[in-house]
Amino acid sequence: MSSVLRIALQKSGRLSEDSYQLFKECGIRFDYGTGKLKSVSSNFPAEFLFLRDDDIPGYVEDGVADLGIVGENVAVEMGRPVQTIHKLGFSKCRLSIAVPRGTDWTGIQHLEGKNIATSYPNLLGNYLAEQGVRAEIHEISGSVEIAPSIGLAEAVCDIVSSGSTLLSNGLKEVETIFRSEAILIARPDLDSEKQALADKLLFRIKSVQAAKNNKYIVLNAPNHALDQITALLPGMKSPTVTPLATTGWSSVHSVLNENEFWENIEAIRAAGAEGILVIPIEKMIY
Ligand code: ATP
Ligand code: MG
């Protein structure tokens, strides 16, 4: 196979580190760093382009890149005809409306006839239309949060994660209009060789994500409690149970979703389990 997948990543910003880390965990090696615009992987048929995030949906639409990683907020705002092939679970944030802290907020109707500053005129425009609110949208490309204090707008609609930027600009978040995370996008017309490579990459990404959400559990259990304990540890197929050197005891090995682990741990201990080890999993193939 001679095809090479071209993958567009953000050069430097809030998506970059986690994107690079994801490929590392997928076993795909490439160099990145200061000033580099392009890099070829040494062990996977892929070439990486390092770009401003705003340019990524357009490059993927035009076929300059086959795949790209971008925030869902940017992809939806730009409305390019690219396909979302997978949600990646990092760079989580929300697009919210915020108003000066002293505002007596009574609901979205408060914005009727007001000026709202944002870098997301389409997402905001659609939301206001759905809510039946007519307002003036001022599109600005950055530092949106200072708009109210300089008299440009009565409200803003901007990306929030912790809310500290809003707070330090005297604003309060009143309405979330969109929730975003990093997504893997693809051009809609990948040929069959590139589609096969994209599928190979996706398989690796899913294995890495599954491993992150699961833990390997090892514990000692008295034999009389084995049925009760193994019922709480279903595993990928079923738990492994092997006898310990001490009579009447067994070692139980299983895989458990981390949330389920915390929910079940009290019941597992109450049933008599001892010496519980929780071990990270590197890759998980279903
Ligand atoms: P570029 O220079 O590439 O144009 P940028 O300044 O436009 O970068 P970043 O601030 O790096 O963009 O944000 C990139 C994406 O990361 C956003 O579109 C959003 O999806 C997500 N993001 C933004 N702010 C946060 C945050 N505080 N926490 C987590 N994710 C965020
Ligand atoms: Mg940008």
Side-chain angles (χ1 to χ4, degrees), residues 1-185:
M1 201 188 280
S2 56
S3 280
V4 171
L5 267 187
R6 284 188 126 191
I7 305 173
L9 302 181
Q10 188 188 27
K11 187 171 163 48
S12 105
R14 294 178 188 273
L15 293 159
S16 313
E17 271 313 312
D18 286 333
S19 302
Y20 300 153
Q21 181 66 24
L22 177 66
F23 285 99
K24 211 175 277 175
E25 288 169 346
C26 288
I28 297 173
R29 285 199 288 271
F30 61 96
D31 292 331
Y32 55 86
T34 35
K36 238 179 163 28
L37 300 175
K38 235 168 72 161
S39 177
V40 177
S41 169
S42 56
N43 65 349
F44 191 88
E47 178 178 46
F48 292 85
L49 308 179
F50 306 113
L51 304 166
R52 293 282 309 266
D53 72 334
D54 320 61
D55 295 333
I56 293 174
Y59 277 31
V60 171
E61 178 190 0
D62 297 343
V64 174
D66 302 306
L67 303 180
I69 291 180
V70 75
E72 215 172 352
N73 52 317
V74 169
V76 174
E77 174 65 25
M78 291 189 162
R80 302 282 193 156
V82 294
Q83 37 171 344
T84 299
I85 56 174
H86 200 61
K87 295 198 179 210
L88 299 173
F90 57 81
S91 300
K92 286 193 175 170
C93 57
R94 55 193 188 272
L95 187 61
S96 290
I97 294 171
V99 294
R101 212 159 28 226
T103 309
D104 183 17
W105 179 258
T106 50
I108 194 75
Q109 291 301 328
H110 178 91
L111 295 175
E112 184 73 27
K114 302 276 190 346
N115 290 311
I116 313 170
T118 188
S119 306
Y120 296 88
N122 294 322
L123 278 165
L124 176 60
N126 290 341
Y127 181 78
L128 293 176
E130 271 168 27
Q131 301 292 318
V133 172
R134 278 157 307 170
E136 195 69 41
I137 297 176
H138 277 277
E139 183 178 353
I140 49 179
S141 61
S143 305
V144 170
E145 62 283 352
I146 63 162
S149 62
I150 59 172
L152 183 69
E154 285 108 346
V156 302
C157 175
D158 203 8
I159 293 292
V160 184
S161 61
S162 69
S164 60
T165 309
L166 293 180
L167 209 63
S168 62
N169 283 280
L171 300 172
K172 63 175 178 187
E173 186 178 357
V174 289
E175 204 87 29
T176 296
I177 73 164
F178 189 77
R179 290 188 186 277
S180 178
E181 64 188 88
I183 54 173
L184 182 68
I185 55 170

